[in-house]
Amino acid sequence: MNSVSAQGCVRGLAVGVLLAACVVDVLFAGSDGTSVLPMAGPVWPTLAMVLVGLAAVLWPTGRRPEWLTPQVRTAVPALLSALLTAASLLVLEAVMLGPGEIMILLCLLFIAVRHCPPRWAVVCGALDAGALLVLPVRHGVALSSDVLGLQILGLLLVGLVAGFAGYLRSMDYRRTVAVSDTRRSERLAIAADLHDFVAHHVTGILVQTQVARMMATTQPQDLDPVLAGIERAATEALASMRRTVGVLRDTGPEAADRRPVGDLAGIAELVEGFATPGQQVALHRDPALSPDTLPHEVQAAAFRVVQEALTNIRRHAADATHIEVRLRYDTDTERLVVSVADDGRGGTQLPAAAHGGGFGLVGLKERVTALGGELEAGPRGGAGWEVRAVFSAGRS
């Protein structure tokens, strides 16, 4: 709250100074030497310029009409100021040059450089700067040395204001790019979660449903375990969907903690829940392997490797009868080796739409290499397929 209050005080002070300067312009322009009230004729052009400029600078953002774009706000007062300067030379009647008009033109220059579209920023900024630089000639071109000095001071002010506005505009652009990149990476991470978790469970539901249909006519008494597996997979899919949607809806710092990742204990549960009638899944885990010896991100990546490999077996090698999942930890090199091998020959009865688009291994390879690991996938000698990942498991 302190920073907001300080910002509001600074803004209020700036508005007060601007209004006071504009009042000075009007008073001096209308002074006839007999009264402090602005009664003389030249006050009207200055008053019009001040009112138009103040409207352009101070009109509240939420109440601006659609036509009052930054281009209009910055170009119209600049053109009016330039017309007043030209009239003072043609009519040979001096028009008051005061601090209010100077401050208005500097504010409009700032708005033009920071908020106008790129092409219009150049045009409107040039108009504001030009109107400011020609102000000294209102009092006569004979005072050439004084005019030159004032124009040099004006150039300095124009450079400072335009440079500061350009810096803030570049910061806005960088912030926009950073937010866009963050959103894109977050969308990719959420897409990976959907693929890794939900697709795994849904594929399991599809395969077990096919098994249940075949058993309905031949072994109806053995249907209960298969239906229980379908129920469990559907429940896990819904839970994964709920967590992912929670990440999308939640913008607080706890959102990242709700993202499903997995660990070594999750691999054991994954393997246990994968088995179906006719398929044997064996988990071989190195006794020296402990969750305390591995960073959490390595455990999560190992979980994803096993999950993707098992999902691909269901999709592309449904005829596999024996699947081996191995977790081996090399204490000498501090490397974790994860492998998933099957004896399938590529037989599958899944619909073509359930085969996937081939992006799972691509995303998996990116995940593994990001941790300094290596991923290989290819046919085994004889029959079957093997996915093998090697991670550097040493703690930094």
Side-chain angles (χ1 to χ4, degrees), residues 227-265:
L227 295 177
I230 294 175
E231 181 182 8
R232 182 175 61 252
T235 302
E236 293 173 352
L238 288 174
S240 296
M241 284 287 290
R242 189 161 46 249
R243 287 191 295 265
T244 304
V245 172
V247 172
L248 286 172
R249 290 179 175 176
D250 197 349
T251 57
E254 68 277 4
D257 297 335
R258 297 172 60 179
R259 179 172 308 222
V261 287
D263 51 15
L264 293 183

Side-chain angles (χ1 to χ4, degrees), residues 195-196 200 203 270-271 274 279 281 301-318 320 323-326 338-342 360-361 364 375-378 385-389:
H195 178 276
D196 292 344
H200 173 80
T203 303
L270 191 66
V271 171
F274 182 81
Q279 283 186 332
V281 186
F303 179 90
R304 298 296 179 93
V305 169
V306 176
Q307 187 179 55
E308 178 65 23
L310 294 179
T311 302
N312 285 338
I313 291 173
R314 278 179 171 162
R315 284 177 172 171
H316 308 292
I323 303 164
E324 287 188 352
V325 179
R326 294 184 179 273
V338 181
S339 65
V340 181
D342 65 83
L361 287 177
L364 194 61
L375 179 70
E376 298 178 354
W385 189 270
E386 182 178 12
V387 176
R388 185 173 183 271

Side-chain angles (χ1 to χ4, degrees), residues 80-95:
L80 180 58
S81 176
L83 287 175
L84 289 178
T85 301
S88 68
L89 296 176
L90 295 176
V91 183
L92 299 179
E93 182 179 358
V95 179

Side-chain angles (χ1 to χ4, degrees), residues 21-393:
C22 291
V23 170
V24 171
D25 282 11
V26 175
L27 291 176
F28 274 92
S31 175
D32 57 1
T34 62
S35 173
V36 296
L37 297 177
M39 304 297 294
V43 70
W44 301 111
T46 301
L47 182 60
M49 172 62 205
V50 166
L51 291 178
V52 172
L54 287 176
V57 175
L58 301 180
W59 200 312
T61 304
R63 299 182 179 180
R64 290 177 196 150
E66 295 183 359
W67 57 265
L68 193 58
T69 61
Q71 299 92 292
V72 175
R73 293 172 59 201
T74 54
V76 171
L79 290 175
L80 180 58
S81 176
L83 287 175
L84 289 178
T85 301
S88 68
L89 296 176
L90 295 176
V91 183
L92 299 179
E93 182 179 358
V95 179
M96 177 62 191
L97 166 62
E101 186 174 356
I102 295 174
M103 293 179 64
I104 286 174
L105 291 175
L106 288 175
C107 291
L108 295 177
L109 174 63
F110 179 88
I111 295 172
V113 175
R114 186 175 184 186
H115 297 295
C116 285
R119 294 182 180 179
W120 280 104
V122 176
V123 175
C124 297
L127 284 175
D128 293 318
L132 179 65
L133 293 177
V134 298
L135 284 179
V137 304
R138 290 184 181 180
H139 292 281
V141 294
L143 303 175
S144 58
S145 60
D146 294 339
V147 170
L148 182 60
L150 291 174
Q151 287 179 335
I152 292 176
L153 178 60
L155 280 174
L156 179 61
L157 290 175
V158 166
L160 290 175
V161 172
F164 181 60
Y167 169 75
L168 293 180
R169 185 181 185 120
S170 67
M171 294 296 293
D172 292 340
Y173 175 76
R174 292 178 183 177
R175 189 179 300 110
T176 301
V177 172
V179 170
S180 178
D181 290 343
T182 301
R183 288 177 177 173
R184 181 176 180 274
S185 61
E186 193 66 18
R187 287 196 300 267
L188 292 176
I190 292 171
D193 286 343
L194 287 173
H195 178 276
D196 292 344
F197 287 90
V198 179
H200 173 80
H201 298 313
V202 172
T203 303
I205 293 172
L206 181 58
V207 171
Q208 293 182 80
T209 302
Q210 291 180 330
V211 173
R213 292 183 63 185
M214 290 186 296
M215 295 177 63
T217 56
T218 59
Q219 298 172 287
Q221 69 278 5
D222 297 329
L223 271 179
D224 188 67
V226 179
L227 295 177
I230 294 175
E231 181 182 8
R232 182 175 61 252
T235 302
E236 293 173 352
L238 288 174
S240 296
M241 284 287 290
R242 189 161 46 249
R243 287 191 295 265
T244 304
V245 172
V247 172
L248 286 172
R249 290 179 175 176
D250 197 349
T251 57
E254 68 277 4
D257 297 335
R258 297 172 60 179
R259 179 172 308 222
V261 287
D263 51 15
L264 293 183
I267 293 177
E269 297 176 1
L270 191 66
V271 171
E272 182 181 353
F274 182 81
T276 58
Q279 283 186 332
Q280 295 181 352
V281 186
L283 174 62
H284 304 279
R285 176 171 169 173
D286 193 334
L289 188 59
S290 171
D292 297 333
T293 63
L294 296 176
H296 182 68
E297 59 271 16
V298 173
Q299 296 185 51
F303 179 90
R304 298 296 179 93
V305 169
V306 176
Q307 187 179 55
E308 178 65 23
L310 294 179
T311 302
N312 285 338
I313 291 173
R314 278 179 171 162
R315 284 177 172 171
H316 308 292
D319 61 338
T321 58
H322 185 71
I323 303 164
E324 287 188 352
V325 179
R326 294 184 179 273
L327 304 175
R328 183 172 60 85
Y329 182 68
D330 190 336
T331 55
D332 296 332
T333 61
E334 293 187 330
R335 294 171 72 86
L336 172 66
V337 181
V338 181
S339 65
V340 181
D342 65 83
D343 60 354
R345 299 182 178 273
T348 179
Q349 298 178 351
L350 293 182
H355 287 177
F359 299 109
L361 287 177
V362 174
L364 194 61
K365 187 175 183 63
E366 293 178 354
R367 187 188 301 272
V368 173
T369 54
L371 295 174
E374 301 175 358
L375 179 70
E376 298 178 354
R380 302 171 62 193
W385 189 270
E386 182 178 12
V387 176
R388 185 173 183 271
V390 180
F391 298 93
S392 177

